[in-house]
Amino acid sequence: MYKDLYINTGKLVRFIMRRDRIRISIWIISIIVFTVLIASILPDLYATGADRQIMAETMKNPAITVMLGPGYGLDNYTDGAMMAHFMLLFSAIATGIMGILFATRHTREDEEEGRIEMIRSLPVGPLSPLTASFLYIVLANIVISLAVGFALYPLGLQDMDLNGCLLYGTSLGAIGIFFAALTGLFAQLTSNTRATIGYSFGFLILSYIVRGIGDVENEALSLISPLGLILRTQVFVNNYWWPVLLTLGISIVIFAASLYLNSIRDLEAGFIPTRPGKRNASGFLLSPLGLSLRLQRTTIISWMVGMFILGLSYGSILGDLEGFLDTSGIIQQMIPEAEGLSLTERFMTMLMTILSILGTIPPLMFVLKLTSEEKKNRTEVLLSKAVSRNQVLGSYTLIAILAVPIIQFMSILGLGCAAVVVMDDAISFNTFLKAGFVHIPAMWIMVGLAVLLIGYLPQHSNLTWVYLGYAFFVVYLGDMLQLPDWLNNLSPYGHIPEVPIEEINIAKILLLVLIAIVLIIAGFIGYKKRDIQG
Amino acid sequence: MAIIEVKNLVKKYGSFTALNGVNLEVNQGEIYGFIGPNGAGKTTTIRVLLGILKATAGQATIFGMDAWKDAVEIHKRVAYVPGEVNLWPNLTGGEVIDLFVKLRGANNNKRRREELIERFDLDPSKKCRTYSKGNRQKVALIAAFASDADLYILDEPTSGLDPLMERVFQEYVMEAKEEGKSIFLSSHILSEVERLCDKVSIIRNGKIIESGSLEELRHLTRTSVVLDTKELISDLDKLKGVHNLEKKGNSLYFYVDSEQLDEVMKYISKFGIVKLEVAPPTLEELFMRHYKGDGGEL
């Protein structure tokens, strides 16, 4: 009986690899290439010990700590310490996302689409599909761990020995495995793909926030976040292996729990029960706009709350930032104080850009929802009624466009509330509002791009996410990696004035809004002309 | 009056031709059967009719309006049931029915809605994610029959229904016909097409290969005969128009070309008929002949 539970798992693993061979290769190669690329340009950027020491001083900035994790080895800031500090958290989040996406794909998504049922009708053990998906992701992460380790080592950077390089790689792999296991658990608890992805990403974001606050305020708090825990490896300085082992151990426990839940539940069922709903539709639902609002109701509300919390958590460090900037001589030398502006306000502009880019995620999700509706043949059903294509695309676009200022307001509100509590000399809410709302045109351009792709290349509409990821990367690490300005100018966020440091150029803002409008109109024209797929 | 008119409709995907000059004409008050094997182009034709796909060439009009350009105007008077009904997992069946009726622009006739829900035996308070294929189909059917449409486009609407529900479906189709409405029914269930449809078109490889009333189609084909005679019949297979002669026990089984029936009857009557069963070809036989062979033997 025991062996039958897992029979043919190996064959399923190979089958999954066959299905995913291109998809997973792209992820693995991107992560390796990206890591090696950054590691090879870093030593040239900060060539002398003095350069690095200045950087080390900047790293004590609580704002940087929230973004990148706590500094260590700052007294003798070597290439290795810098590499780990810049890249470890960021790359671990990438493997975490990879773990979530691939785990969902092969657990709840396969189940929801009825593919697991097909597999289970073959001589395959009841726990084999779940085990195979997990093993597959573990294998992928082992590849990443070893490949990253062995690719970094030959670069021969200061303080980066083989042990350290492998630890760095394994730290990434461990986070990938952890989030895959966690997603596997959510796949048992919830009964649909959206909920599985939603809970998993929610946990990832929560881990990031808890770690950010913990790194600044309270070390113990960071340890309960898997992302905070993995940073305690202090790679290339102290090379502790215990956080990796602990993460892997917890992953196995979580996986065992999901196996248990898998074994006691029915196929296609979850543990969160479905309640009977309404027999009749409310008047609110009965229009294309009402329908799309209703479908995304929970997502919209969760993102509003989420962005408020994110704003709050970024804001919570403003007090520490104020104190740090007052005492740090080097920083004061580096950044000459502009007239009437505190240094905190200057850092705030960068925080604002990051919040704006993160705040673009929900509007993009709201508008790109239409492509998944189309794939599932639901757009077809709508269009077979007396509903025009403009109405369908219009309702999704409208939600996204309106979501931009609302979401932006929520994160500003969070930031402002926290600032009032933690700062001695609080930045006025008005300043936050201006600095935040000035980003709206760039966010609209991203929505416009998504609409354009929906109009002409719906199967490639996910490119919007790649572009947003690029924009995020350029802002997040651009300064530290001393990336040239033109790279920043390729992103719409690069053209937004840094209020309150820079003046608002009305003409430029209007031009950005105009670009967004043109993109949206072009998308509508394309959408009217093309075939609806499904 | 022609409700649906399709002329030389062509739909290409790159180099692949899905529809290669389809012609159709559905008149008011007709139930029009549309049959063909998987991948023949049934659903593609329907999607062009609904203005969801744009035709590469040719013409498709409904109520005299262009299916692509005037889609919204047309859809106010059309009810559609897709073959694969995909609904929103987090809405209930009842909500979806209301939504569909409302989006067609029709008024919600509460009594009619409740009657349909009861006849089709659907629990409208359940979330769509819990529905089986048959139940999802019921939701679409209820929404279609609850709306007061002039044309019903039904794409394999009963493929997931049980025989009882199939009968309920057929009753509503007949009711719609009696009210002078037109029905365009794509189906694989040939007995259903046979029972309901006034006219039938058979599509294969993107082309209509046969069209007409069932009577007309049958006329083109063979009648099946089972025969017992007192005396042994010789040389029956040499007779013109006799096919597939088989002997099982005392009985002879064979097919006769419709136009040769008279000659054959005269011939066999000489041998003293003990038992004679003559049946018109079923749609299934028709269908099989069209699909398996090249169709040229007709």
Side-chain angles (χ1 to χ4, degrees):
Chain A
M1 184 60 208
Y2 180 78
K3 83 167 197 275
D4 284 348
L5 285 177
Y6 299 96
I7 210 155
N8 274 330
T9 300
K11 278 186 191 157
L12 285 181
V13 172
R14 264 183 292 163
F15 173 63
I16 295 175
M17 284 181 183
R18 171 71 181 71
R19 273 179 70 193
D20 274 7
R21 65 197 190 287
I22 293 173
R23 194 180 283 252
I24 193 89
S25 306
I26 291 173
W27 271 91
I28 293 178
I29 292 170
S30 307
I31 288 173
I32 297 167
V33 167
F34 188 67
T35 308
V36 171
L37 199 72
I38 300 295
S40 47
I41 61 170
L42 205 56
D44 299 331
L45 293 179
Y46 302 95
T48 68
D51 285 346
R52 288 195 295 271
Q53 247 8 84
I54 291 174
M55 203 59 211
E57 195 60 33
T58 325
M59 285 299 178
K60 291 176 186 162
N61 181 343
I64 305 280
T65 305
V66 162
M67 278 160 44
L68 297 179
Y72 52 85
L74 292 176
D75 298 336
N76 175 23
Y77 206 47
T78 60
D79 287 342
M82 212 154 71
M83 171 73 190
H85 205 168
F86 283 9
M87 296 302 302
L88 182 57
L89 178 61
F90 205 48
S91 314
I93 290 175
T95 53
I97 291 174
M98 178 182 119
I100 292 173
L101 293 180
F102 280 88
T104 310
R105 178 174 155 81
H106 293 291
T107 55
R108 188 44 83 171
E109 191 179 329
D110 268 356
E111 191 166 333
E112 193 174 83
E113 303 288 331
R115 293 189 283 255
I116 298 265
E117 185 180 337
M118 291 292 293
I119 297 282
R120 283 282 301 278
S121 71
L122 302 168
V124 158
L127 296 181
S128 301
L130 180 60
T131 314
S133 341
F134 186 66
L135 283 181
Y136 156 72
I137 296 165
V138 169
L139 276 176
N141 280 291
I142 290 177
V143 171
I144 289 177
S145 303
L146 296 177
V148 165
F150 285 114
L152 280 180
Y153 178 59
L155 295 176
L157 297 188
Q158 190 188 11
D159 259 10
M160 287 168 65
D161 57 5
L162 187 58
N163 181 34
C165 288
L166 284 174
L167 177 59
Y168 182 88
T170 315
S171 302
L172 301 186
I175 289 296
I177 290 170
F178 175 84
F179 277 98
L182 189 82
T183 307
L185 183 69
F186 283 132
Q188 310 310 314
L189 294 173
T190 63
S191 59
N192 63 83
T193 308
R194 266 170 71 94
T196 307
I197 289 226
Y199 280 109
S200 306
F201 272 106
F203 192 93
L204 180 69
I205 293 167
L206 195 70
S207 309
Y208 178 83
I209 292 175
V210 166
R211 177 214 54 81
I213 297 173
D215 284 350
V216 175
E217 308 285 346
N218 178 357
E219 177 90 8
L221 191 61
S222 290
L223 290 178
I224 63 166
S225 153
L227 293 174
L229 183 64
I230 213 70
L231 291 180
R232 267 60 194 177
T233 49
Q234 306 201 345
V235 189
F236 302 132
V237 176
N238 293 320
N239 288 334
Y240 299 126
W241 279 87
W242 63 265
V244 169
L245 298 177
L246 191 58
T247 304
L248 291 176
I250 295 170
S251 308
I252 289 170
V253 172
I254 293 175
F255 174 64
S258 57
L259 273 183
Y260 172 71
L261 292 178
N262 191 240
S263 71
I264 60 167
R265 76 176 171 91
D266 289 339
L267 193 68
E268 278 162 37
F271 286 93
I272 298 165
T274 43
R275 291 166 287 127
K278 295 181 183 164
R279 285 179 63 93
N280 294 289
S282 66
F284 168 75
L285 173 62
L286 299 177
S287 70
L289 181 63
L291 173 68
S292 40
L293 269 174
R294 167 64 197 279
L295 293 175
Q296 312 198 72
R297 184 176 58 190
T298 323
T299 327
I300 293 173
I301 294 171
S302 335
W303 273 101
M304 280 168 59
V305 175
M307 289 309 292
F308 175 76
I309 294 173
L310 195 64
L312 211 57
S313 57
Y314 268 139
S316 69
I317 58 130
L318 286 172
D320 296 278
L321 188 65
E322 207 178 19
F324 164 77
L325 292 174
D326 284 348
T327 54
S328 170
I330 291 181
I331 297 277
Q332 291 201 332
Q333 272 173 15
M334 274 171 59
I335 311 172
E337 196 153 341
E339 215 159 302
L341 292 173
S342 70
L343 282 171
T344 325
E345 281 173 323
R346 308 198 57 128
F347 269 102
M348 183 202 70
T349 63
M350 186 178 169
L351 283 184
M352 222 45 176
T353 309
I354 289 170
L355 279 174
S356 306
I357 294 178
L358 294 176
T360 311
I361 295 174
L364 284 184
M365 283 174 68
F366 302 155
V367 68
L368 288 173
K369 165 90 171 146
L370 185 55
T371 52
S372 72
E373 287 286 298
E374 182 173 341
K375 264 185 223 156
K376 289 179 180 152
N377 287 336
R378 294 186 201 131
T379 307
E380 175 187 328
V381 176
L382 276 192
L383 289 175
S384 76
K385 314 285 177 261
V387 171
S388 71
R389 297 195 179 199
N390 280 346
Q391 273 176 291
V392 171
L393 182 57
S395 51
Y396 284 88
T397 310
L398 186 68
I399 293 175
I401 287 176
L402 293 182
V404 166
I406 295 172
I407 292 280
Q408 197 67 348
F409 181 77
M410 292 309 288
S411 52
I412 293 168
L413 191 65
L415 209 53
C417 289
V420 170
V421 177
V422 299
M423 288 180 79
D424 298 330
D425 183 13
I427 302 171
S428 78
F429 189 68
N430 211 3
T431 310
F432 281 125
L433 215 53
K434 268 191 207 154
F437 273 14
V438 80
H439 285 88
I440 288 176
M443 299 163 82
W444 278 342
I445 287 183
M446 297 305 292
V447 172
L449 183 70
V451 174
L452 184 76
L453 286 169
I454 291 172
Y456 291 95
L457 296 167
Q459 62 276 43
H460 296 300
S461 55
N462 280 337
L463 286 178
T464 326
W465 294 117
V466 177
Y467 188 44
L468 188 71
Y470 170 80
F472 182 76
F473 167 73
V474 169
V475 172
Y476 212 92
L477 291 175
D479 276 353
M480 277 172 255
L481 297 174
Q482 301 174 12
L483 296 177
D485 273 349
W486 64 268
L487 282 177
N488 191 27
N489 288 339
L490 287 180
S491 128
Y493 304 91
H495 299 278
I496 297 294
E498 292 177 23
V499 176
I501 302 164
E502 293 171 19
E503 288 291 314
I504 298 179
N505 177 345
I506 298 287
K508 203 171 170 184
I509 294 287
L510 286 179
L511 182 67
L512 292 174
V513 173
L514 188 68
I515 292 174
I517 293 174
V518 169
L519 288 172
I520 290 174
I521 291 175
F524 270 76
I525 292 172
Y527 191 67
K528 265 191 105 154
K529 283 190 194 152
R530 74 171 171 85
D531 288 349
I532 298 297
Q533 285 139 7
Chain B
M1 194 185 102
I3 299 289
I4 300 181
E5 241 185 321
V6 175
K7 282 185 193 147
N8 295 319
L9 188 66
V10 176
K11 176 68 192 173
K12 288 185 178 173
Y13 294 102
S15 61
F16 173 70
T17 307
L19 297 180
N20 188 11
V22 168
N23 289 293
L24 285 172
E25 192 182 310
V26 179
N27 293 313
Q28 195 189 345
E30 258 177 7
I31 304 182
Y32 198 101
F34 193 43
I35 57 181
N38 296 326
K42 295 190 296 293
T43 300
T44 307
T45 306
I46 288 177
R47 285 188 175 161
V48 172
L49 284 175
L50 287 169
I52 286 163
L53 300 180
K54 191 174 186 176
T56 313
Q59 222 184 15
T61 56
I62 297 180
F63 309 128
M65 292 182 274
D66 187 273
W68 173 262
K69 283 191 215 133
D70 304 316
V72 175
E73 206 45 45
I74 292 172
H75 295 173
K76 288 181 183 161
R77 298 163 60 193
V78 170
Y80 166 59
V81 177
E84 187 68 36
V85 183
N86 286 290
L87 302 173
W88 297 272
N90 49 347
L91 298 187
T92 65
E95 285 176 317
V96 171
I97 291 169
D98 288 350
L99 175 73
F100 282 179
V101 172
K102 177 76 187 180
L103 290 184
R104 274 200 55 256
N107 282 327
N108 206 342
N109 181 341
K110 272 224 157 69
R111 248 203 7 239
R112 171 90 171 161
R113 178 185 184 272
E114 291 309 314
E115 176 205 307
L116 280 157
I117 287 175
E118 202 187 303
R119 291 291 307 279
F120 277 107
D121 194 22
L122 178 85
D123 180 352
S125 66
K126 275 193 175 162
K127 293 271 163 92
C128 290
R129 82 163 48 89
T130 63
Y131 284 144
S132 65
K133 177 177 162 63
N135 277 327
R136 291 201 304 270
Q137 227 152 19
K138 287 182 195 171
V139 170
L141 283 169
I142 292 169
F145 288 117
S147 22
D148 191 30
D150 293 325
L151 171 66
Y152 293 82
I153 297 180
L154 312 171
D155 189 1
E156 295 180 34
T158 55
S159 51
L161 296 188
D162 63 52
L164 217 64
M165 289 306 137
E166 217 180 299
R167 177 150 306 172
V168 174
F169 162 78
Q170 288 174 4
E171 283 172 30
Y172 278 106
V173 170
M174 292 311 290
E175 184 192 301
K177 180 190 153 83
E178 277 157 26
E179 287 168 8
K181 289 157 179 188
S182 318
I183 292 112
F184 187 70
L185 171 69
S186 145
S187 178
H188 266 140
I189 301 171
L190 298 171
S191 59
E192 180 179 286
V193 174
E194 218 162 10
R195 193 169 317 151
L196 293 174
C197 295
D198 306 308
K199 275 192 189 159
V200 177
S201 271
I202 302 178
I203 186 171
R204 209 178 97 185
N205 292 334
K207 267 199 137 142
I208 303 287
I209 51 173
E210 206 60 68
S211 231
S213 70
L214 271 177
E215 285 312 307
E216 285 163 356
L217 290 189
R218 277 184 183 135
H219 190 70
L220 292 171
T221 58
R222 299 159 184 168
T223 306
S224 89
V225 180
V226 182
L227 177 70
D228 277 13
T229 46
K230 281 185 198 145
E231 295 166 48
L232 199 66
I233 302 186
S234 55
D235 291 343
L236 185 58
D237 52 339
K238 299 222 173 86
L239 218 65
K240 197 180 165 209
V242 173
H243 303 270
N244 301 29
L245 181 67
E246 262 182 88
K247 192 173 161 66
K248 285 182 196 161
N250 289 326
S251 306
L252 289 170
Y253 290 78
F254 58 94
Y255 292 94
V256 182
D257 286 341
S258 302
E259 59 267 35
Q260 300 298 327
L261 203 55
D262 189 40
E263 290 295 313
V264 175
M265 287 300 145
K266 281 178 186 154
Y267 180 76
I268 57 174
S269 59
K270 298 172 199 159
F271 297 88
I273 296 172
V274 176
K275 181 181 122 189
L276 177 65
E277 289 173 33
V278 181
T282 60
L283 191 55
E284 189 169 328
E285 280 162 339
L286 242 156
F287 189 84
M288 289 307 208
R289 182 135 0 121
H290 273 290
Y291 287 9
K292 277 199 296 203
D294 54 356
E297 59 185 312
L298 284 169

